[in-house]
Amino acid sequence: MKMLRFRTSSIRSLNQEIQCTVRLLDDTEISCSIQRDTKGQFLLDHVCNHYSLLEKDYFGIRYVDSEKQRHWLEPNKSIVKQLKSQQPYTMCFRVKFYPHEPMKIKEELTRYLLYLQLKRDVYHGRLLCPFADAAYLGACIVQAELGDYDPEEHPADYINEFRLFPKQTHKLERKIMELHKTELRGQCPALAELNLLQRAHTLETYGVDPHPCKDFTGSTAFLGFTATGFVVFQGNKRIHLLKWADVSKLKFEGKTFYVIGVQKEIFFKGRIHCQTLKKLVLTFHTSTPAACKHLWKCGVENQAFYKCAKSSQIRTVTSGNVFFKGSRFRYSGRVAKEVIEASSKIQREPPEVHRSNFAQSKSFNSLSNKHLIMNMEPLLPALPGPIESDDVSADGGLLALKDSVHLSPLKPPGLQVGLGEEAGDIFTAAEQGGVDPMAKERSACAEQEDEEEEEEEEEGGALTISELMYNPCASMLPTPVEDGGGVDLLFESPVKLLRELHADRELQEELEAERERQRAQEAEMREVQRMLGSGIRLLTGNAQLNACMRSFARLLAVGLGLLLVLLPLLLVLLESDIDVSFLHDIRQTPEFQQFHYEYYCPLRRWLLCRLQAVMEKLSGD
């Protein structure tokens, strides 16, 4: 007798070691070897052990798949199955959940890592801030990296050595130097970093990882999740904030992302101040289904981390509806309150913090590189380095919401002239000890720029650093594109796609073969219908069988009649204020909430409008 043999992975393939590289927040790299069944939690623990980090719940590991879509490494799944890309594997260690109150972080090491992440956010334009806040943040970075100002060591224009912001003007640099020399003097690196955290966490874009998408009008939107709730940006303003307590469900279908919640409406009835809750459904469209699923997962994880009081309260979330099962996902980890409680119980000696200086950081350009100095135009976004290709983002745009007023972006001011190649040559000559022949011209240009900036401030209010529109630079797009055009290239025109389709012969042949298969399927369906018709005619010729069929038909009609009566009655009971236990349980289910928001409320509004129109017509007659 021949034995059945099941196909299993060989011991050799299971024990095969795979090399992984993780890029840290200071752009250094560490490597480790994993096996095919190694979970994501092992790699996160390996990086945290490298740092000797205990408050690890704020951090995660991010990777980019073959389609250039970013993902967070799930801790309870195999690394190899998640990446599905060619070796060697390269990932990035980043802050995943920004602490709502950085002062509650106990260890200096954790605060330093958060400081490095915020420094990257400032440099890449994710952390949008007014002029005064930008100068203070820049001064904190300089104080933490360089220490106190020393006129013997630091030249007059020492801030020019570093690229702190994507839009760095001479006026901003002078303000940073002023704060560095006076207000922050005497602060140690840990205190300067703490001051930066305190100021940064008060900004609206603190902790926002912008997801580019489009609303129902086709306008570009930037969505994000913070410790407070779900946020939407248009231009340089936050135009929508839905707190986590008001978000009842997040779901996606294909490329469409839904946020279902409630919104408070305040009105006056006579002299009485009234408040009511309005059901709200926001709809957005992403470029790909993978980007939409990533957006949904980020929202589910952030809502569970910041909203739940205990990890035992976290439930599995589904993106399906009444007719389709959809995707299922559950956040596995501790929530914010548990992390703060665990931090307060840490009793060990604080680990040593190994800080990196400007020379080691890839995010800051040094004067020793002439090519980088040649590209230091003050108003152009800073280009990402090769080590920062993981932080990819979209060009800025507008966004409009279905239930919000469409706000136009502020008109960007005219671009100022950059330094160009001549400035690179001048800086190189200054390094070698030569005299700068263009000093007077540069000072005159700086004064003129200052006057223009002051006029802009008086006319348009506080200046922002990234752009006048919320415009993270080209190193953060979750689904990047190599050519110009920004987010709009992700949403190709159907007409253009059809032209490319008709121009491709191979695609035309595949379409013709698909049409042949459809014709064959239609012929088979017609044959099946003919056979079923003949069978029904044969069955109806039997009188006894006809009686049974009539009895079954009557039973089916009675059942449908009862269903048509009981279903509306149950719906009326559920929508009423009757507080019965089984009705309360049904109201709390996600399926009923989805039916209520997406089907019942629109149908009720439609019926009321029709009824009102009929009544008005009758009254007019």
Side-chain angles (χ1 to χ4, degrees), residues 67-103:
E67 301 296 328
K68 304 300 182 183
Q69 173 61 48
R70 294 191 306 175
H71 302 273
W72 287 106
L73 191 68
E74 296 186 32
N76 54 355
K77 291 186 178 180
S78 169
I79 298 175
V80 176
K81 289 183 179 179
Q82 292 184 70
L83 266 66
K84 299 178 182 178
S85 59
Q86 296 182 355
Q87 301 179 24
Y89 297 143
T90 302
M91 289 158 279
C92 299
F93 180 74
R94 296 289 182 263
V95 174
K96 187 176 183 180
F97 303 110
Y98 288 72
H100 184 49
E101 299 180 52
M103 292 298 296

Side-chain angles (χ1 to χ4, degrees), residues 128 202-205 208 226 228 230-242 399 407 470:
L128 197 69
T202 62
L203 301 175
E204 289 183 344
T205 51
V208 174
T226 66
T228 307
F230 168 75
V231 293
V232 181
F233 285 90
Q234 176 182 8
N236 66 338
K237 296 179 181 180
R238 185 185 69 188
I239 65 167
H240 207 87
L241 168 62
L242 198 61
L399 109 114
L407 302 175
Y470 187 61

Side-chain angles (χ1 to χ4, degrees), residues 21-25 27-29 60-65 68-72 90-95 117 120-121 124 126 209-210 294 362-363 384-394 473-480:
T21 302
V22 181
R23 295 170 181 167
L24 306 180
L25 286 164
D27 293 326
T28 59
E29 297 181 355
I61 295 179
R62 172 173 277 163
Y63 67 93
V64 182
D65 63 14
K68 304 300 182 183
Q69 173 61 48
R70 294 191 306 175
H71 302 273
W72 287 106
T90 302
M91 289 158 279
C92 299
F93 180 74
R94 296 289 182 263
V95 174
Q117 178 67 62
R120 298 180 70 91
D121 293 346
H124 290 291
R126 289 186 288 263
D209 184 14
H294 173 64
K362 305 290 183 169
S363 299
I387 203 74
E388 295 162 4
S389 59
D390 62 293
D391 292 340
V392 186
S393 165
C473 73
S475 62
M476 295 169 25
L477 179 62
T479 309

Side-chain angles (χ1 to χ4, degrees), residues 134-381:
Y136 186 81
L137 296 181
C140 289
I141 294 174
V142 175
Q143 179 68 25
E145 304 286 349
L146 295 184
D148 291 340
Y149 170 74
D150 187 351
E152 296 182 357
E153 295 182 3
H154 303 141
D157 54 352
Y158 65 98
I159 297 296
N160 289 336
E161 299 180 11
F162 314 116
R163 199 67 170 173
L164 302 175
F165 299 95
K167 181 181 175 183
Q168 188 165 316
T169 63
H170 293 294
K171 181 181 178 181
L172 178 60
E173 291 176 355
R174 285 195 294 274
K175 185 64 175 177
I176 291 174
M177 288 190 291
E178 177 186 344
L179 294 174
H180 178 223
K181 295 175 183 179
T182 57
E183 185 175 341
L184 302 181
R185 186 172 184 82
Q187 294 185 3
C188 63
L191 182 57
E193 293 161 3
L194 183 60
N195 289 332
L196 182 139
L197 299 185
Q198 286 181 308
R199 180 64 65 90
H201 98 282
T202 62
L203 301 175
E204 289 183 344
T205 51
Y206 168 75
V208 174
D209 184 14
H211 297 263
C213 60
K214 297 204 171 194
D215 66 356
F216 74 104
T217 65
S219 301
T220 303
F222 281 106
L223 313 183
F225 308 100
T226 66
T228 307
F230 168 75
V231 293
V232 181
F233 285 90
Q234 176 182 8
N236 66 338
K237 296 179 181 180
R238 185 185 69 188
I239 65 167
H240 207 87
L241 168 62
L242 198 61
K243 295 183 178 180
W244 288 125
D246 299 331
V247 177
S248 57
K249 186 176 179 63
L250 301 171
K251 72 168 193 171
F252 79 99
E253 293 177 4
K255 299 181 183 180
T256 308
F257 178 68
Y258 301 94
V259 181
I260 303 171
V262 294
Q263 191 175 27
K264 294 181 181 179
E265 282 192 349
I266 300 174
F267 61 94
F268 290 91
K269 190 174 182 181
R271 294 185 177 181
I272 302 175
H273 182 271
C274 301
Q275 180 175 319
T276 183
L277 295 179
K278 175 187 175 183
K279 297 178 180 67
L280 184 67
V281 179
L282 303 178
T283 305
F284 301 95
H285 305 282
T286 60
S287 58
T288 62
C292 194
K293 188 174 182 179
H294 173 64
L295 174 62
W296 173 70
K297 281 187 173 182
C298 291
V300 170
E301 288 185 321
N302 279 270
Q303 185 179 22
F305 183 80
Y306 294 114
K307 183 179 179 180
C308 296
K310 297 180 180 179
S311 56
S312 58
Q313 299 176 354
I314 301 174
R315 298 288 181 263
T316 301
V317 182
T318 177
S319 65
N321 52 30
V322 178
F323 305 103
F324 300 98
K325 184 178 180 181
S327 300
R328 296 171 62 86
F329 180 70
R330 183 181 186 274
Y331 167 65
S332 58
R334 295 190 292 186
V335 298
K337 293 183 179 179
E338 293 176 338
V339 174
I340 294 174
E341 292 176 1
S343 298
S344 63
K345 298 177 182 178
I346 296 177
Q347 299 294 335
R348 68 169 180 175
E349 288 291 329
E352 184 180 359
V353 180
H354 300 280
R355 289 179 168 83
S356 61
N357 53 33
F358 276 121
Q360 294 174 340
S361 178
K362 305 290 183 169
S363 299
F364 299 91
N365 303 333
S366 174
L367 277 174
S368 60
N369 191 331
K370 177 181 176 182
H371 176 70
L372 294 176
I373 291 300
M374 290 166 59
N375 290 299
M376 287 180 61
E377 289 90 2
L379 291 179
L380 294 180

